[in-house]
Amino acid sequence: MYEVRRFDLENPWVYVFTNVVVWVVVVSTIQTVLFDGGLTGAVIRGTGGGFVCGITMLYLRKKDWF
């Protein structure tokens, strides 16, 4: 009756996008709540960190390190 869609992290685009979103949320929350920083800078740092971390993890997965 209902079609169930799986959230598949094997897709590299979905994996990197999810990584970026998590980094943006975490960095923005930490910077604005704990350090009273600007939200724009936190989003930029989170996007950069999430993208770099996502690409690095994909590379390490491909080389069977994880």
Side-chain angles (χ1 to χ4, degrees):
M1 179 171 226
Y2 293 105
E3 184 178 330
V4 177
R5 294 193 180 257
R6 262 187 85 224
F7 190 71
D8 188 20
L9 289 177
E10 293 299 320
N11 184 350
W13 292 103
V14 173
Y15 182 77
V16 172
F17 176 74
T18 305
N19 212 347
V20 168
V21 169
V22 168
W23 269 71
V24 166
V25 169
V26 170
V27 170
S28 298
T29 303
I30 289 173
Q31 188 165 344
T32 55
V33 172
L34 297 179
F35 299 115
D36 294 330
L39 186 59
T40 306
V43 169
I44 292 171
R45 285 185 190 96
T47 303
F51 186 73
V52 168
C53 183
I55 296 298
T56 303
M57 291 301 291
L58 284 176
Y59 175 76
L60 293 177
R61 270 187 181 179
K62 186 179 278 189
K63 297 294 183 183
D64 287 332
W65 286 15
F66 279 99

